[in-house]
Amino acid sequence: IAIEVDAFSAGTIKEILPEEGVIVNSNGALVQGILGIGGESHGEVVVAVNYRKEVITKDMLNESHAGKIVIAGAYLPLEVFKYAQELGVHGIVVGGFDYDALSSILGYNLGVAVTGSEDLGISLMLTEGFGEIPMAEGTFNLFKQFEGKFASINGSTQIRAGVIRPEVMIPHT
């Protein structure tokens, strides 16, 4: 039975691994974060803040952000995360987030992090850590450079042997 599976990123099939998958070659920008939740998604990159030290607010989001990956600056308040989730935003990338808010979303305290299977309808990637922490200047500028481009986001994280970091891949030539 044929099964159609979307690739995480656009590219060219380099190798077929029988009964396992494929290896895809792709050029692009890759940004890895510290911690994330939510699985794979994709959308157009939209920078919602004016500068990397800015805290995103609800009035910076609207229906036009549905299906997009929103770059949110230094901090994401829980009520803004929930609002983005209601709007149908596919992903949010932010410098910092509150640990207690993360626990509230997950329904449990995050211990040794293994995430990515949460059914939230949105992926979240922290680039710096917990608290209000401005996104690194180079990271923020990279997202600004690729604003309007299609990207893939994966919030999956594993912090132990076989480390997996959340990431955003922006394919380009």
Side-chain angles (χ1 to χ4, degrees):
I1 299 172
I3 299 173
E4 186 175 314
V5 179
D6 288 338
F8 182 65
S9 180
T12 304
I13 295 175
K14 178 182 175 185
E15 183 180 347
I16 297 173
L17 307 173
E19 298 184 33
E20 186 175 341
V22 297
I23 295 175
V24 177
N25 264 1
S26 181
N27 293 321
L30 177 69
V31 178
Q32 289 189 316
I34 298 297
L35 182 72
I37 58 173
E40 292 182 8
S41 194
H42 57 271
E44 179 184 322
V45 173
V46 176
V47 180
V49 294
N50 295 312
Y51 52 97
R52 68 187 187 90
K53 295 180 180 182
E54 191 170 9
V55 175
I56 191 169
T57 59
K58 281 177 72 172
D59 63 330
M60 294 175 175
L61 296 175
N62 57 51
E63 294 80 18
S64 72
H65 292 99
K68 309 265 172 80
I69 298 173
V70 174
I71 311 307
Y75 185 72
L76 174 67
L78 178 59
E79 64 273 5
V80 179
F81 174 84
K82 289 181 176 181
Y83 183 60
Q85 196 175 26
E86 289 172 21
L87 288 174
V89 171
H90 281 188
I92 299 178
V93 181
V94 66
F97 195 63
D98 185 71
Y99 177 81
D100 291 332
L102 184 64
S103 298
S104 171
I105 292 166
L106 295 173
Y108 57 88
N109 289 335
L110 189 64
V112 176
V114 178
T115 68
S117 61
E118 304 83 11
D119 187 17
L120 303 172
I122 187 171
S123 295
L124 171 64
M125 183 173 98
L126 312 183
T127 61
E128 310 306 319
F130 291 116
E132 186 175 323
I133 310 171
M135 188 178 292
E137 187 172 2
T139 303
F140 187 74
N141 290 340
L142 185 77
F143 283 121
K144 284 184 75 166
Q145 177 185 344
F146 289 105
E147 186 166 20
K149 301 293 184 187
F150 181 84
S152 298
I153 186 170
N154 187 350
S156 298
T157 305
Q158 179 172 302
I159 302 175
R160 57 179 176 189
V163 171
I164 298 170
R165 294 287 181 200
E167 61 188 16
V168 174
M169 172 67 177
I170 308 166
H172 66 89
T173 55

